[in-house]
Structure formats: C-alpha cells, structure tokens
Amino acid sequence: MARSDAPSPPVSWGRSRISTACTLDCPDSCSLQVTVERGRIVRIEGSHDAPSTAGYICGKVRRFDRRVYSAERILYPMRRKGPRGHAAFDQISWEEALDLIVERIEEARTRYGAESILPYYYGGSNGLLTNELDDARFFRRLGASRLARTICAAPTGAAAAAMYGRMPGVAYEDYAHARLIVVWGCNASASGIHLVSHIKAAQNAGAKLVVVDPRRTPLARMADLHLPVRPGTDLPVALAVINDLFERGRADLGFLHAHADGVDELRQAAAEWTIERAAQESGLDPAALGTFAEWYGTIAPAVVRCGWGQERNRNGGGSSLAILALPAVGGKFGVRGGGYTMSNSAAWGIAQEALVDEPSPSTRIVNMNELGRALTEFDNPPVTVLFVYNSNPLSTAPDQNRVREGLMRDDLFTIVHEQVMTDTAVYADLVLPATTFLEHYDIARGYGAYHLQVVQPVIAPVGEAKSNRDLFHELSVRFGFAEPDDAGEAGALIEAAAKLPDGLGTALLQGQRPDPPKGRFPVQFVDVRPGTADGRIKLFPAGLTRDGSSPYRYRPNPGSDTYPLSLISPASPHTISSTLGELRPTIVKLKIHPDDAAARSIADGDPIRVYNELGEVHCEASVTPEVRPGTVALPKGLWARSTFNGSTANALVPQTLSDIAGGACFNDARVQVELKGRH
Ligand SMILES: Nc1nc2c(c(=O)[nH]1)N[C@H]1C(S)=C(S)[C@@H](COP(=O)(O)OP(=O)(O)OC[C@H]3O[C@@H](n4cnc5c(=O)[nH]c(N)nc54)[C@H](O)[C@@H]3O)O[C@H]1N2
Ligand SMILES: Nc1nc2c(c(=O)[nH]1)N[C@H]1C(S)=C(S)[C@@H](COP(=O)(O)OP(=O)(O)OC[C@H]3O[C@@H](n4cnc5c(=O)[nH]c(N)nc54)[C@H](O)[C@@H]3O)O[C@H]1N2
Ligand code: SF4
Ligand SMILES: [Mo]
C-alpha cells in the first residue's frame, strides 16, 4: 500500500501540541508533549501523562529534532554504486527497491535455501508494533535464519526468569520507602534518569546508598559506600554477602523455607567466598565489603537496583543470579521499598509471540553476538542476504573488525533500513529510509517505569521514509504472505491492541494509560509473586549453563601481561546505544586511572592507542580517578567519526559469550594502552 493511502497522521498546519511517548531503548518510557508548527517539530518536552516522567526528559530526546531533520537523514531508497563502504549511492524508487529485494531474496532461496537470509535487528527505538511483528511474520514465512536476540539483557533476563519467573520489581517511586538502596552495575544518571531523584529523596530521608561499579559514577559519588569492583567479579562479591548472611544468622531461614528451593545448594556455592577472599578477587577493601554485608544484613527495607553492567561478561549470568538472590536470602521482600528492580517488561503479561501469530520455523539460530563469525565463517549455508533494521551492528556488535570484514564480502547482499546514514548503512548494497518514533504508530512498554502508552506520529514521514510495519507488510504482499489492506499502520495498531490481555488494548485505544494488572507500585511477595511454574523462588536453577556446570561457577578472566587492562564500555549520556552517535563528532577520551597513565607516561589529553589482538582504537586520554586502577573505559555506541582511526570500543570486544544465555561480553575485554605520536 502506498504511504499516501494510509490514514493521515494528526498533522496540523497551525501550531499544535501532540501527546506521544518515547520508544528509545531506555527504562523510563517517558510521556512526551511535542509542539509542531506547520508540520515541523519545534519542541519536545516531557509531560505529566505518565506520572513517572514528572514533566522532564533527557537532553537526547529534547533535541531529537536534530536527528529527524538531520542532513544525514536517509530520505529515499538508494542503491550502492562504486566499492562497498565508500558511501556512494544512487537514488532509486521504492518500487525498484522492493523489486530488488524480491530478486535478491529469491536468488538466495533458490541457490542456498532461505536460511542464507539473516535478519539482524534489536530494540532500536521500537515498541510492540515495530519490532518482531510484521517483520517476524515475514522472515518466518520466508524460512530465514532466526536471530537469537542476545546483545542485551540475555543473561539478566534468563537469571530473573529462572529464579523468579520474571516477577515485576520495585517501582522507582517506592525507593522513597527504602532505608538501604543498592545500585549494582547501573549508571542511572545516564541510562534511566528518573530513578535518580527518587534515590536522592530517599537519601535525604536518611536512607543509605551503596553503589557497586568499577567507575565512580555520579551515584557512586553520592553514595555512603562505593565498591569499585574489578569488572566481572560481582559473582564472588554477591556470594560473599550471601555467605556472610548465612554465617551470621542473618539469613531469613523462615522465608527461605516457605518460598525458596535450592537454599542448601546456594549456601554451599557461597561458602567458599569469605569476605576476605571475595575482596581479594574483586580488588575491594575487605572492610568496605564487610560494611556492605553488615548493612545488607541489618537494614530494611532494602532494595537492589540490578542493572546491566555486570551481565556483559563471561560471569554475567552467575553474577546476576547471585545479586538477585540477595533479597531472598536477606528476607527483604514483603514490604514497600524492599526487594529488587530488574526489567519490569513482563509486568504486563504481554507475550509478543501472541501478537505475531505465525508459527516459528525450526530454522538455523544465529546468536547476534557472533555476527562477525556468521558473516565470515558460516558456510552451510553461508549468509548471502543480510537484512538490518532497528540496529547498527557495525557500531554495537562485538568484534567490529570481523563484522566489517563480513560486510565487505563481495557475495553478500546487505539491506539496511535506517533513519540516518549509520556506520552500518555505509556498507549496504541497498539503503531504505525508515521513520522515527515521531513519524509512526507504536505501543511503548516501559521496562523500568510501569507505563504502556500509544505512540502516534506527530509529523508526516520525512522524505520517503516508511515504518517497519509498512515495509514488511509491503514485502509480505509481494511474496504472497499477506493480503494488501487499506488499514495501514493505524489498522495494525488496532489489530495488535485487540490481542493485548486484560482489556489493555481497549484502554489504550480509548486514550488511557492503563496500569499493569498488579498495579504500578507492586510490593514483591504481597502484590506480585514469582512466575515460576510452582510459584517458588529457584535459588539454584538447573540447566542454565551451556556446559551443565553450577550456575554459580566463577570463571576468572586470566588476562595477560600483554593486555593487562580491563576495558569496559558502558552507556553514555549523549547517545542511546549508537542512536544519536552522529551528533558526537568530537574525538572520544579513554578514561584511565592516574596510576595506569603514569606507568605509561600518558598525560591528560594525550593521543593514545588502545589495542589488543582484535583491533585498536586511536583516541585521547582522560586521566581520572573516576575509573579504578587496572580498568579503562570508553563509551558504548560511538560512531567511527569519534576516533582517529574509525574503530571504537567494539573493535576490542571479543565474540566470546557469557556463562548463561549467550550474552555479549562487552565489559570483559583486555587491552593495552600506549602513548601515540601527535596526529
Ligand atoms: N543515555 C543512555 N541511556 C541508556 C542507554 C544508552 O546507551 N545511553 N542504553 C539503554 C540500554 S540499551 C540499556 S541495556 C541500559 C543499560 O543501563 P545500565 O544498567 O546503566 O548499563 P551500562 O551503562 O551498560 O552499565 C552500567 C554500569 O555498570 C558498570 N560496570 C561495567 N562492568 C561492570 C561489572 O563487571 N560489574 C559492575 N558491578 N558494574 C560494571 C559501568 O561502569 C556502568 O556504570 O540503559 C539504557 N539507557
Ligand atoms: N561496546 C559496547 N557495545 C554495546 C553495549 C555495551 O555496553 N558496550 N551495549 C549493547 C546494548 S545494551 C544494546 S541494547 C545494543 C544496541 O545496539 P543496536 O541494536 O545496534 O541499537 P542502536 O545503536 O540504538 O541502533 C538502533 C538503530 O535502529 C534505528 N532505528 C530506530 N527505530 C527504527 C525503526 O523504527 N525502523 C528501523 N528500520 N530502524 C530504526 C536507529 O536509527 C539506530 O540506528 O548495543 C550493544 N552494544
Ligand atoms: S530516552 Fe529515556 S529519559 Fe530520554 S525521553 Fe526517552 S524514556 Fe525519557
Ligand atoms: Mo541494551
């Protein structure tokens, strides 16, 4: 269906203020007020529609118009001319583009079978309608290879599902009731700003704050206790606290008996980690770790905000399990402000699978963290058509040089559906223009804040941009998988809403912002209970590790003399993953501790080379005690333009997988750093 047949978005030629919601990959899921003048966005503000937004939003989305109207915006379909990666393209029509896709997919199917087609996508800035819906139906009908969506939240998700059956967590607002707040592997000041004011308010009311993070984050600076762990050593640290709780008789044995299985196995696994041994392994002061155990054993209500920093590691699954086990062992559930917060996306009881309504074929599964390997090594069949959308893998996947090598293959046909000319799009054979969340319909489901909201276009699509829904629907029609329809995106919204459980869809379509079935402020073990098969906590879940070993087995990273420094690359306040990275043209600075810098004669601002056996990044040094000695940090989501040599942190990240769920090991790289001559 041509875009012009779609129901027209609420575009007014005067000045209007339109309510919508942010779908960027951020836990806060803010409600927005967008001011549009003559069909152009002039202001984006937070509203009070979703109470947790409280009328303010981050700087990234306040200025999202810079992406919408960017000079780098992809305005029409384009076909590569000249060599790959040279960013030279010819404009073509949508008809020609769709014909070309059909031709290349049919060719791949005939020659190698449909498994040679690989869709590559993640959360982009997508809600329920623009991710794993029409796209999923299309690739399933095609019989394409399936993508294991593991680049984020796979270990934490698997851990939370196995232990608590994805029980919804403590609401940000309820942090006010906590007397002890533990922020573990989470830099909320960048990655979900609305939590911060609740933490500050609780502190002002006398709550203690503990932050476990290799970096002195803004929250760590405010904390009563900062535990600057070595990356990847959270498992011993959490187990030592658990061991201490048992040893000092502070474990809530009554609660454990009533609600948990695997208590003895967990206790045994923890027994080897005394405070001293764990402190030694994690590079902490034993007294500080002892204080943490003491506070956690004696203060209530206590809440743990478990983030994602610790999961991006070979020990990511075990660490997350051990952190999540703390409130059970400590008996912290059952009171407002006690328990844990992880992802809250399951609170709605919405199964995306039920929306897709198309059986999944049992085709090859490709772990997205091994894209480099898939593109360069797989031969049965090889990947010959790569269809990228909602993702920018050259910037965000591990082992950047291997991914680039794959994208350079002569026999690979790469399609990229994108908003702006990303580093990945530059390597495409066919580039297709995509709408932003301000130009299409969607349903935003928060994974931190408890909000489900309708997203509506505030302006018409820029240029010839199409939404994911329209693109995959039109392709489905061409392949005979779907009937043409007139309902367009708005029709798809209504259709999906009708499939939502508990009357959520009706409420949404009536313009309401419904609460999740168990309310917006659930108290764990009062309002919500474990979603495991028998409703009990599984403290020692079986079958999680690939090699069948204990879920709490610790795997030290042996490191090496050649590459002695740990590299982490967490979220930056300027981008969401790589989204908006185009607006960061300045050369990035590697954060390095003064001791590590002095040992290498590196001064603040010096040009440096960060390298290992996989690649090298040429940038500048920021010498700062913000990172612990032995650890260096680059932001995630950088584009090639942010370094001197076009490589970013991901060029140094191996394709190794975490202990459970095949997660990425972004914070498990080892590197060396040296001074470089001036450029
Ligand atoms: N501004 C902004 N917001 C974002 C994003 C973004 O890119 N930018 N990304 C969004 C997405 S996709 C996600 S998944 C979330 C992630 O949000 P967060 O949970 O905050 O995750 P990260 O920023 O990856 O890492 C959090 C912290 O973990 C620390 N860390 C690194 N390694 C370790 C370790 O081994 N142990 C411990 N204890 N800490 C460690 C880092 O120093 C960092 O401060 O944020 C979302 N929000
Ligand atoms: N070094 C390092 N790398 C990391 C991480 C890390 O901690 N360190 N974190 C990882 C994490 S947590 C995540 S979640 C991943 C995210 O990695 P990606 O999935 O690559 O996410 P983004 O970088 O945000 O890229 C999303 C792209 O989708 C596009 N997009 C948005 N909406 C739409 C749409 O409706 N249609 C289409 N076709 N395109 C759209 C955007 O323009 C953007 O370019 O990155 C991972 N990469
Ligand atoms: S990115 Fe996060 S903080 Fe910023 S507007 Fe979106 S939901 Fe809110
Ligand atoms: Mo993520």
Side-chain angles (χ1 to χ4, degrees):
M1 188 184 67
R3 177 71 225 180
S4 55
D5 300 336
S8 41
V11 170
S12 141
W13 291 99
R15 182 185 169 99
S16 53
R17 282 158 67 86
I18 303 164
S19 300
T20 188
C22 174
T23 55
L24 295 199
D25 189 345
C26 165
D28 289 12
S29 200
C30 291
S31 58
L32 306 176
Q33 271 282 322
V34 184
T35 309
V36 175
E37 251 174 42
R38 295 173 176 274
R40 242 184 118 83
I41 295 165
V42 293
R43 186 172 305 144
I44 305 174
E45 293 161 292
S47 74
H48 290 270
D49 290 339
S52 59
T53 304
Y56 69 94
I57 55 170
C58 66
K60 302 177 292 297
V61 171
R62 251 191 343 260
R63 293 307 317 277
F64 203 82
D65 58 314
R66 289 188 298 179
R67 161 160 285 211
V68 173
Y69 303 117
S70 161
E72 297 180 69
R73 188 78 198 257
I74 298 164
L75 295 172
Y76 34 73
M78 296 186 290
R79 191 178 181 162
R80 174 170 67 86
K81 64 173 178 194
R84 266 161 223 281
H86 282 235
F89 297 94
D90 282 327
Q91 177 175 357
I92 58 173
S93 68
W94 263 111
E95 281 303 303
E96 288 170 296
L98 295 173
D99 285 347
L100 186 59
I101 296 174
V102 174
E103 183 191 313
R104 299 313 289 260
I105 284 185
E106 288 297 9
E107 197 179 300
R109 282 216 287 189
T110 313
R111 192 144 173 224
Y112 298 102
E115 285 183 335
S116 65
I117 301 152
L118 178 66
Y120 190 97
Y121 57 99
Y122 193 66
S125 42
N126 304 95
L128 301 178
L129 294 187
T130 57
N131 201 359
E132 296 220 297
L133 197 60
D134 296 270
D135 51 331
R137 288 190 195 120
F138 174 69
F139 288 113
R140 287 177 185 196
R141 287 295 295 270
L142 212 52
S145 282
R146 291 174 295 163
L147 191 75
R149 294 179 70 219
T150 47
I151 203 153
C152 173
T156 46
M163 189 172 279
Y164 293 105
R166 307 196 74 200
M167 176 169 63
V170 179
Y172 292 178
E173 291 86 344
D174 277 341
Y175 279 57
H177 300 274
R179 304 291 300 161
L180 176 65
I181 298 173
V182 182
V183 176
W184 203 313
C186 177
N187 177 23
S189 314
S191 64
I193 57 172
H194 289 83
L195 179 59
V196 176
S197 58
H198 297 287
I199 294 180
K200 281 188 185 156
Q203 265 194 308
N204 289 339
K208 283 192 160 47
L209 173 65
V210 179
V211 172
V212 189
D213 197 304
R215 292 188 303 155
R216 203 183 294 166
T217 59
L219 281 177
R221 265 174 248 148
M222 282 164 43
D224 300 278
L225 185 63
H226 172 213
L227 300 176
V229 288
R230 270 194 208 112
T233 62
D234 304 273
L235 177 58
V237 172
L239 287 180
V241 176
I242 288 171
N243 183 38
D244 194 74
L245 291 172
F246 278 116
E247 289 299 301
R248 292 180 192 276
R250 289 174 177 157
D252 189 339
L253 300 178
F255 175 86
L256 290 174
H257 182 72
H259 297 290
D261 296 328
V263 179
D264 293 340
E265 291 92 331
L266 170 61
R267 185 174 182 167
Q268 234 166 43
E272 63 177 296
W273 292 105
T274 59
I275 295 286
E276 290 66 30
R277 187 162 166 241
Q280 168 82 26
E281 183 61 29
S282 57
L284 292 178
D285 168 11
L289 183 51
T291 302
F292 174 37
E294 168 83 23
W295 288 358
Y296 197 76
T298 54
I299 303 177
V303 61
V304 179
R305 200 305 175 236
C306 181
W308 289 270
Q310 81 290 339
E311 78 159 12
R312 316 193 199 288
N313 184 280
R314 68 188 62 198
N315 296 300
S319 298
S320 304
L321 281 169
I323 295 165
L324 291 176
L326 285 168
V329 177
K332 302 300 182 191
F333 292 121
V335 290
R336 198 165 287 288
Y340 70 84
T341 311
M342 192 50 273
S343 169
N344 288 331
S345 63
W348 300 91
I350 298 170
Q352 187 78 21
E353 197 55 36
L355 304 184
V356 178
D357 207 12
E358 169 77 36
S360 179
S362 53
T363 49
R364 169 167 75 183
I365 294 177
V366 176
N367 184 330
M368 68 191 299
N369 296 323
E370 298 181 304
L371 178 64
R373 202 166 288 146
L375 294 180
T376 56
E377 286 176 23
F378 286 17
D379 60 1
N380 190 23
V383 176
T384 58
V385 174
L386 176 70
F387 202 137
V388 179
Y389 58 101
N390 301 353
S391 188
N392 179 15
L394 191 57
S395 298
T396 56
D399 205 349
Q400 190 168 70
N401 289 323
R402 281 296 284 287
V403 174
R404 189 183 285 106
E405 190 188 325
L407 292 174
M408 284 298 287
R409 261 174 52 202
D410 275 339
D411 57 341
L412 178 71
F413 188 73
T414 303
I415 303 160
V416 176
H417 185 220
E418 249 304 350
Q419 298 165 354
V420 292
M421 237 331 151
T422 59
D423 288 356
T424 308
V426 164
Y427 286 82
D429 295 280
L430 179 64
V431 181
L432 306 170
T435 43
T436 67
F437 74 98
L438 297 166
E439 298 154 55
H440 59 228
Y441 284 98
D442 211 334
I443 298 175
R445 173 178 54 179
Y447 61 94
Y450 283 106
H451 289 292
L452 190 70
Q453 305 174 79
V454 168
V455 177
Q456 59 175 332
V458 303
I459 53 166
V462 171
E464 296 178 17
K466 275 189 201 292
S467 67
N468 293 4
R469 191 272 164 190
D470 283 354
L471 167 63
F472 288 106
H473 180 72
E474 286 173 33
L475 279 172
S476 299
V477 170
R478 279 181 185 245
F479 277 88
F481 303 158
E483 294 295 323
D485 65 37
D486 305 324
E489 269 186 69
L493 170 70
I494 294 165
E495 189 190 314
K499 292 183 188 165
L500 298 180
D502 300 317
L504 289 170
T506 320
L508 276 179
L509 294 180
Q510 287 172 348
Q512 299 166 16
R513 288 188 165 75
D515 283 347
K518 305 291 182 191
R520 241 182 333 115
F521 311 105
V523 175
Q524 292 176 315
F525 280 83
V526 174
D527 305 308
V528 289
R529 292 177 181 280
T532 48
D534 59 3
R536 289 174 68 80
I537 305 172
K538 305 295 170 191
L539 287 177
F540 201 86
L544 281 182
T545 51
R546 260 173 300 148
D547 56 6
S549 60
S550 156
Y552 295 106
R553 195 182 124 207
Y554 176 58
R555 299 164 170 77
N557 183 333
S560 72
D561 294 343
T562 327
Y563 305 117
L565 299 168
S566 291
L567 169 72
I568 58 172
S569 46
S572 121
H574 308 288
T575 66
I576 289 266
S577 295
S578 74
T579 301
L580 301 173
E582 74 272 20
L583 304 175
R584 273 204 104 191
T586 48
I587 294 299
V588 71
K589 288 183 161 44
L590 173 92
K591 290 194 169 148
I592 182 167
H593 189 273
D595 295 351
D596 295 321
R600 292 164 178 78
S601 309
I602 292 170
D604 198 53
D606 274 349
I608 51 167
R609 181 172 164 256
V610 192
Y611 62 98
N612 63 17
E613 67 280 16
L614 297 173
E616 53 184 71
V617 175
H618 299 183
C619 60
E620 287 171 355
S622 165
V623 178
T624 165
E626 204 183 297
V627 284
R628 57 160 297 129
T631 297
V632 292
L634 280 169
K636 82 162 163 177
L638 294 178
W639 287 33
R641 64 190 63 177
S642 295
T643 65
F644 290 121
N645 67 336
S647 281
T648 67
N650 294 51
L652 305 165
V653 170
Q655 289 181 70
T656 47
L657 302 177
S658 63
D659 49 355
I660 69 175
C665 290
F666 296 117
N667 293 332
D668 200 17
R670 292 294 180 268
V671 298
Q672 182 55 290
V673 179
E674 68 182 27
L675 194 62
K676 209 172 168 294
R678 287 239 158 244
H679 291 260

